[in-house]
C-alpha cells in the first residue's frame, strides 16, 4: 500500500477552520436575506491593506464574520426569486479539492486528472440529456458563456458554409449574418451576441406568445426574406414561465433555410432527464448547439455551465488556442482549452463529475420530477383563490403570479409588490418581482435540491393567508 505523506510544515489551520465552519453553516441554515447594509459591509471588509500579512486562521475568522451578514441563502428551499441551484455538498467538497490541488485545467498535460474527469463527466452529460454522443462539450462558467461559445461556433460555421473563412475575414470583411431571436429571449443571449460583434441590425426579433414561446409563423415569414447566413436562437425553459419553444417546428425551419439552430436551455434541458417532462424537449436533439447550466438544476456549486456543439470542428475552430509551448500529443487526452475561451482555467470537471455521481441518473431524474410536481402542487393550491392569478401554464418548475382584485393594472402591480414584501418579511422566504408583459409579476422558481412538497404546502398556506390580509 502506498504511504500517504503528511507535511508538518504546511499550516493546515485555515483549511481546518473553513471545513469546521462549513459544516456548521450548512447545518444551521442561516439567513435567507442579508442582514447587513452596504455601509456596514464596507466597514467590515474595509480599511487599508495591511503592510504585513496576518495569520491565516485569523483572516478566515475575519472573513466569516464580515461575509455572513451579507450572504444570500440562495441554496435553501425557501429561495424562489431566481433560478439558482443548491450547491450540492458533494460538489462543494470536490470544488474544495479542486482548489487544494490547484490544477490549471487548460491542457491534458497540465492536469491529466482534471482533463479525464472532465472528459468522463461530459460523456455522462450527453448520455443523460440524450444528445448526440459525438457532440463536443465545453465546461464553462455558466449558460451565458455557453451561449457565447455555441453562437461563436455558429457564426464561424455559417460563414464557412457561405464560402468565407472567419479566421481570414473577421467581422469586417465577412457578409452579415442574421440572428433570429424571440422578443423574449434571455438577456444573456443578447449580451453574447454583442460580445460576438452582432448589433441590433443583425438581430431580427420574433414575436412571442403569452407564454414566451416564439411565434413559428412569424419566424417562418421573417426567415423567408432574403438574407445571408442565418442563426436561430430557440428557448427551452423560459426564464419566467418555463415554456418551451416548438422545437421541432424551429428545427424544420432551420433545416429549410440552412440555418444554425442554437437552443438556450439553461435549465430546461434537464427536463429531458425525467420521463415526466421529456416530451416537451422533443426536437431539441435536432439543434446544432445547446447551452445549459450546471449550477442551476444540476446543483453544482457556482460556477458551471455546458456549451454543447454538434459539430466539433466548428466548436474547435471558434475556441481552440494553439501554440508550440501548449502541447497536445496524439496519446494525450482532452485539452479543455479547445472548447472554451479561457486558457488558464479551474478544473470544473471535478465538481461536475462528483455532483453527477452523488445524484446518479435516477437522482437527477427524480429531482427534476419533484420540482415540477412541487410547482404543480403550488398551482393547484392557489388556482381557485380569488384574486390570485397564475399567468403561466405550469409546465415545469416555474410559476408567474399576480395579485389582482380587479381594480386595474396599477392596483394589481401595487398589490403584487406588497405581497413580495409581505412574503419576504419573516425571513423564511426570498422572493422577487419582475416586469413581464407590461405588468408586475411575482416569480416562483422551484429549483433548490432540498425543496419538496411540504415546503409547497407551507408556502401555499402563507401566500393565501397574506393575500387575505393584503387583498381582502
Ligand atoms: C440563467 C439563464 C441564462 C444565463 O445563465 P448564467 O448561468 O446565469 O450565465 C440564460 N438563459 C436562461 C434561460 C437562463 O435561465
Amino acid at each position: 500500500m502506498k504511504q500517504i505523506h503528511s507535511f508538518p510544515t504546511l499550516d493546515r489551520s485555515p483549511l481546518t477552520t473553513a471545513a469546521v465552519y462549513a459544516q456548521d453553516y450548512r447545518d444551521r441554515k442561516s439567513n435567507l436575506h442579508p442582514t447587513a447594509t452596504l455601509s456596514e459591509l464596507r466597514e467590515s471588509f474595509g480599511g487599508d491593506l495591511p503592510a504585513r500579512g496576518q495569520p491565516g486562521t485569523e483572516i478566515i475568522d475575519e472573513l466569516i464574520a464580515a461575509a455572513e451578514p451579507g450572504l444570500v441563502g440562495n441554496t435553501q428551499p425557501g429561495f424562489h426569486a431566481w433560478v439558482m441551484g443548491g450547491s450540492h455538498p458533494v460538489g462543494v467538497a470536490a470544488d474544495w479539492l479542486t482548489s487544494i490541488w490547484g490544477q490549471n485545467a487548460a491542457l491534458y498535460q497540465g492536469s491529466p486528472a482534471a482533463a479525464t474527469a472532465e472528459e468522463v463527466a461530459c460523456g455522462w452529460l450527453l448520455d443523460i440529456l440524450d444528445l448526440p454522443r459525438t457532440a463536443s462539450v465545453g465546461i464553462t462558467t455558466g449558460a451565458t458563456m455557453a451561449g457565447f461559445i455555441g453562437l461563436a461556433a455558429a457564426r464561424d460555421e455559417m460563414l464557412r458554409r457561405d464560402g468565407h473563412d472567419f479566421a481570414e475575414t473577421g467581422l469586417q470583411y465577412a457578409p452579415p449574418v442574421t440572428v433570429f431571436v424571440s422578443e423574449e429571449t434571455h438577456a444573456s443571449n443578447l449580451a453574447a451576441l454583442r460580445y460576438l460583434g452582432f448589433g441590433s441590425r443583425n438581430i431580427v426579433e420574433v414575436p412571442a406568445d403569452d407564454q414566451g414561446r416564439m411565434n413559428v409563423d412569424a419566424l417562418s415569414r421573417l426567415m423567408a426574406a432574403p438574407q445571408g447566413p442565418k442563426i436561430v436562437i430557440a428557448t427551452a425553459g423560459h426564464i419566467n414561465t418555463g415554456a418551451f419553444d416548438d422545437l421541432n417546428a424551429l428545427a424544420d425551419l432551420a433545416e429549410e433555410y440552412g440555418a444554425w439552430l442554437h437552443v438556450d436551455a439553461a435549465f430546461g434541458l434537464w427536463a429531458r432527464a425525467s420521463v415526466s417532462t421529456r416530451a416537451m424537449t422533443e426536437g431539441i436533439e435536432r439543434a446544432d448547439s445547446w447551452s445549459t447550466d450546471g449550477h442551476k438544476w444540476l446543483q453544482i456549486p457556482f460556477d458551471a455551465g455546458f456549451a454543447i456543439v454538434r459539430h466539433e470542428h466548428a466548436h474547435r475552430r471558434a475556441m481552440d488556442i494553439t501554440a508550440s509551448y501548449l502541447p497536445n500529443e496524439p496519446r494525450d487526452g482532452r485539452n479543455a482549452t479547445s472548447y472554451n475561451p479561457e486558457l488558464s482555467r479551474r478544473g470544473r470537471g471535478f465538481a461536475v463529475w462528483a455532483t453527477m455521481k452523488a445524484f446518479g441518473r435516477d437522482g437527477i431524474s427524480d429531482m427534476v420530477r419533484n420540482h415540477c410536481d412541487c410547482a404543480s402542487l403550488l398551482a393547484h393550491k392557489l388556482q381557485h383563490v380569488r384574486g390570485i392569478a397564475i399567468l403561466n401554464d405550469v409546465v415545469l418548475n416555474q410559476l408567474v403570479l399576480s395579485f389582482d382584485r380587479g381594480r386595474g393594472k396599477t392596483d394589481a402591480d401595487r398589490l403584487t409588490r406588497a405581497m413580495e414584501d409581505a412574503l419576504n418579511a419573516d425571513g423564511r422566504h426570498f422572493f422577487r418581482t419582475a416586469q413581464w408583459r407590461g405588468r408586475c409579476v411575482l416569480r416562483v422558481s422551484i429549483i433548490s435540491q432540498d425543496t419538496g412538497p411540504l415546503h409547497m404546502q407551507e408556502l401555499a398556506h402563507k401566500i393565501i393567508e397574506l393575500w387575505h390580509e393584503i387583498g381582502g
Side-chain angles (χ1 to χ4, degrees):
M1 226 171 116
K2 259 198 215 158
Q3 183 73 29
I4 306 215
H5 295 280
S6 63
F7 298 91
T9 51
L10 193 73
D11 174 13
R12 282 182 302 165
S13 52
L15 301 177
T16 312
T17 307
V20 170
Y21 166 77
Q23 190 65 57
D24 170 64
Y25 176 76
R26 281 293 171 103
D27 289 347
R28 77 187 134 88
K29 305 238 180 288
S30 62
N31 293 327
L32 266 168
H33 294 267
T35 53
T37 62
L38 172 60
S39 58
E40 284 166 349
L41 287 166
R42 283 182 175 150
E43 167 104 31
S44 346
F45 280 105
D48 293 334
L49 177 65
R52 288 164 184 278
Q54 273 167 264
T57 312
E58 220 174 277
I59 299 168
I60 298 306
D61 284 341
E62 215 179 286
L63 174 61
I64 290 169
E68 219 186 78
L71 299 178
V72 171
N74 52 281
T75 61
Q76 297 177 35
F79 184 86
H80 299 291
W82 299 294
V83 182
M84 292 183 186
S87 246
H88 195 286
V90 173
V92 172
D95 199 51
W96 285 356
L97 292 173
T98 307
S99 296
I100 294 289
W101 292 328
Q103 302 291 280
N104 184 343
L107 305 179
Y108 175 80
Q109 290 190 19
S111 180
T116 309
E118 192 164 314
E119 177 189 288
V120 170
C122 290
W124 290 347
L125 186 83
L126 295 175
D127 201 41
I128 193 161
L129 296 173
D130 194 16
L131 293 175
R133 306 306 191 267
T134 51
S136 50
V137 184
I139 303 187
T140 66
T141 51
T144 303
M145 283 317 284
F148 168 81
I149 293 169
L151 294 167
R155 181 185 64 184
D156 196 287
E157 180 65 10
M158 287 297 94
L159 285 169
R160 196 190 61 80
R161 289 187 199 165
D162 201 48
H164 309 274
D165 174 6
F166 185 77
E168 181 210 328
T169 64
L171 275 183
Q172 318 289 338
Y173 299 99
V177 176
T178 306
V179 187
F180 298 84
V181 300
S182 158
E183 60 178 339
E184 295 214 15
T185 197
H186 193 273
S188 62
N189 295 315
L190 300 175
L193 289 171
R194 200 168 70 234
Y195 310 152
L196 288 163
F198 292 99
S200 58
R201 285 199 205 173
N202 303 98
I203 300 173
V204 176
E205 275 197 10
V206 183
D209 70 8
D210 65 350
Q211 299 296 310
R213 288 176 297 232
M214 202 190 277
N215 180 319
V216 177
D217 291 338
L219 176 65
S220 165
R221 265 195 314 280
L222 290 163
M223 286 184 86
Q227 289 119 343
K230 297 177 182 67
I231 299 169
V232 177
I233 304 181
T235 302
H238 182 281
I239 190 68
N240 290 325
T241 65
F244 284 64
D245 283 345
D246 183 343
L247 297 161
N248 266 317
L250 266 50
D252 287 344
L253 283 173
E255 229 167 75
E256 185 180 341
Y257 291 103
W260 179 290
L261 180 61
H262 175 81
V263 188
D264 171 10
F267 56 105
L269 197 49
W270 296 92
R272 209 162 164 75
S274 164
V275 285
S276 58
T277 40
R278 186 185 157 108
M280 281 191 300
T281 72
E282 286 302 322
I284 208 168
E285 69 286 353
R286 296 170 62 194
D288 297 287
S289 57
W290 305 263
S291 41
T292 193
D293 264 315
H295 52 226
K296 287 178 181 171
W297 231 337
L298 198 52
Q299 317 292 325
I300 294 170
F302 288 97
D303 41 23
F306 306 100
I308 310 171
V309 181
R310 176 187 297 277
H311 318 281
E312 182 172 10
H313 54 92
H315 191 167
R316 295 182 65 133
R317 261 203 321 273
M319 288 298 138
D320 212 357
I321 304 174
T322 53
S324 64
Y325 83 101
L326 303 173
N328 190 223
E329 307 294 337
R331 66 188 145 77
D332 286 353
R334 172 186 169 93
N335 266 8
T337 190
S338 305
Y339 308 101
N340 288 279
E342 307 106 359
L343 184 55
S344 294
R345 64 192 283 280
R346 184 170 185 75
R348 293 196 191 93
F350 292 128
V352 176
W353 181 89
T355 311
M356 289 187 84
K357 242 175 132 63
F359 280 111
R361 247 181 181 296
D362 293 349
I364 294 172
S365 154
D366 290 349
M367 171 174 57
V368 169
R369 177 199 283 258
N370 167 47
H371 288 148
C372 296
D373 287 352
C374 280
S376 304
L377 175 63
L378 185 60
H380 177 75
K381 298 251 167 215
L382 299 180
Q383 67 190 346
H384 298 304
V385 182
R386 228 178 125 105
I388 300 183
I390 304 171
L391 302 180
N392 65 321
D393 301 334
V394 180
V395 294
L396 205 66
N397 64 323
Q398 300 284 116
L399 280 86
V400 184
L401 303 181
S402 107
F403 296 87
D404 189 346
R405 57 188 169 188
R407 296 188 201 160
K409 180 185 126 48
T410 313
D411 184 62
D413 285 0
R414 188 182 62 73
L415 289 169
T416 304
R417 265 183 226 106
M419 282 297 291
E420 174 190 11
D421 291 342
L423 282 162
N424 288 332
D426 67 3
R428 293 174 50 77
H429 290 96
F430 192 123
F431 280 97
R432 284 290 181 268
T433 50
Q435 282 296 121
W436 187 56
R437 300 186 80 82
R439 58 199 293 184
C440 177
V441 296
L442 187 82
R443 304 176 64 255
V444 188
S445 299
I446 299 152
I447 196 152
S448 178
Q449 61 208 355
D450 297 328
T451 312
L454 286 177
H455 297 107
M456 293 300 107
Q457 308 269 12
E458 188 196 339
L459 177 59
H461 185 75
K462 179 171 170 181
I463 292 176
I464 294 167
E465 200 172 63
L466 288 171
W467 175 235
H468 285 149
E469 279 170 32
I470 287 170

